[in-house]
Amino acid sequence: MPQPSFAVISGAQVHEAVHGREERVTAIVEAAYRLHGEGLTVNPDSYFLRFPDRPSDRIIALPASVGGEVNVHGMKWISSFPGNVADGIPRASAVLILNDAETGYPFACLESSIISAARTAASAALAAARLADARGDRPRRAGFLGAGLIARYVRTYLAANGFAFDELHVHDLSREHAEGFRDYLERAGKGEVTIHDAPEPLIRACDLVAFATVAGEPHVTDPAWFAHNPLVLHVSLRDLSPEIILSSCNVVDDVEHCLKAGTSPHLAEQRVGHRDFVDGTLYDVLTGRVTPPADRPVVFSPFGLGVLDLAVAKYVYDRVAATGGLQEVPGFFHEMRRYG
């Protein structure tokens, strides 16, 4: 066999591969969801590395394998250190390793914060499009709770998937960050933008609400705020109280993965002792097995599957390779003879 190669793909190369190709990335994410729903993936539990002296920080390992045309194994290693924001650098950083499906040899290391943001936003936009279309009406008033990188990517991917909003609403615990996000939206020319000092008026004003915060426990607790039955993209997973979850139609990406680690659906399960409040998965929506109601809030809670990261990463690798941009590390694998 030829000597295995190993390449490093930078964040700049990842950005070049996915920027402006949001529809393609969304299609890749949809295909990965379908492979997952058909049993052609392996997606073990994520592993959380936590620190006793830094309870808000964590590093997560997401191992996975994707079959079909993707045909790759690998793992994303992503850190979340919220204190970074005050120091002027992003909260999250990540790398992703791709392994050859036949030999198991790793063949690439990719900067993965962009891949993670892209697959998260593509997942949210895909769910929003399919759920809204199933309900028969696309939202025109969107609200973003949390004004960071993920919110920006979600807005971009919603636009790429055909959403056009007459109103945009923003809330963040930092007024400075909310104003920065408002300025970004206004530069993009995406409708009238209103900043709110609290979640309630934003939620009541919007028929699509995207949570992209770093909340560690529920801070939105009143089901009455959702009486107008909005579509909720619960990307950050821990914002909503069990009461809100239990009064809504709930769609998740994967039941076993989503109902753990103190997510809002997990807290709801602990409250009632069952999972009957979960109406189905996004795969069920894609295949027509679940139709969301118009007379209840619809909450999409994606835990974030490693198979999505791998599918997008393999697409990036193939694009970079096709353009001759792979930066290979000579001699990365050294001991290649069994007996020297």
Side-chain angles (χ1 to χ4, degrees), residues 5 10 38 68 70 112 118-119 130 149 175-176 186 219 235-236 242 252 254 262 266-267 299 305 307 309 319 321 330:
S5 63
S10 70
E38 293 161 7
V70 181
S112 196
R119 68 84 152 143
R130 299 297 181 266
L149 178 73
R175 180 77 183 189
E176 178 184 358
E186 290 179 343
H219 59 98
V235 176
S236 39
V252 301
D254 182 284
H266 186 205
L267 296 180
V299 178
L305 302 177
V307 297
D309 296 284
R319 281 199 61 83

Side-chain angles (χ1 to χ4, degrees), residues 45-70:
D45 286 344
S46 303
Y47 298 91
F48 288 72
L49 176 62
R50 299 185 182 275
F51 314 97
D53 59 332
R54 302 177 64 126
S56 65
D57 299 339
R58 64 191 184 193
I59 307 179
I60 312 171
L62 288 84
S65 175
V66 186
E69 294 183 357
V70 181

Side-chain angles (χ1 to χ4, degrees), residues 131-132 135 206-207 223 225-232 242-251 275-280 290-300:
L131 290 167
R135 293 175 101 187
C206 296
D207 45 14
W225 298 0
F226 300 83
H228 56 301
N229 303 321
L231 173 57
V232 180
E243 291 81 6
I244 293 171
I245 294 293
L246 294 171
S247 63
S248 302
C249 168
N250 291 281
V251 176
R275 297 178 172 183
D276 295 347
F277 58 88
V278 178
D279 294 81
V290 169
T291 301
D295 60 353
R296 279 191 295 157
V298 176
V299 178
F300 175 58

Side-chain angles (χ1 to χ4, degrees), residues 48 50 58 60 80 91 119-121 123-124 143-148 150-151 154 171-172 209-220 232-241 245 251 253 258 260-267 299-304:
F48 288 72
R50 299 185 182 275
R58 64 191 184 193
I60 312 171
S80 174
R91 167 188 60 86
R119 68 84 152 143
T120 298
S123 169
F144 296 87
L145 287 96
I150 297 300
V154 169
H171 168 68
D172 194 281
V209 180
F211 286 88
T213 74
V214 294
E217 58 186 22
H219 59 98
V220 175
V232 180
L233 303 177
H234 190 208
V235 176
S236 39
L237 284 175
R238 295 171 177 83
D239 304 85
L240 303 178
S241 69
I245 294 293
V251 176
D253 54 358
C258 189
K260 66 179 183 182
T263 66
S264 295
H266 186 205
L267 296 180
V299 178
F300 175 58
S301 299
F303 192 79

Side-chain angles (χ1 to χ4, degrees), residues 86-164:
D87 295 328
I89 60 175
R91 167 188 60 86
S93 58
V95 294
L96 186 147
I97 299 293
L98 291 175
N99 293 75
D100 183 81
E102 295 300 322
T103 67
Y105 268 80
F107 62 87
C109 176
L110 299 86
E111 195 284 331
S112 196
S113 66
I114 296 171
I115 290 171
S116 188
R119 68 84 152 143
T120 298
S123 169
L126 172 67
R130 299 297 181 266
L131 290 167
D133 291 347
R135 293 175 101 187
D137 187 24
R138 286 219 168 182
R140 302 294 301 182
R141 299 167 295 142
F144 296 87
L145 287 96
L149 178 73
I150 297 300
R152 175 160 59 87
Y153 268 75
V154 169
R155 200 288 307 169
T156 299
Y157 274 78
L158 286 170
N161 281 273
F163 286 85

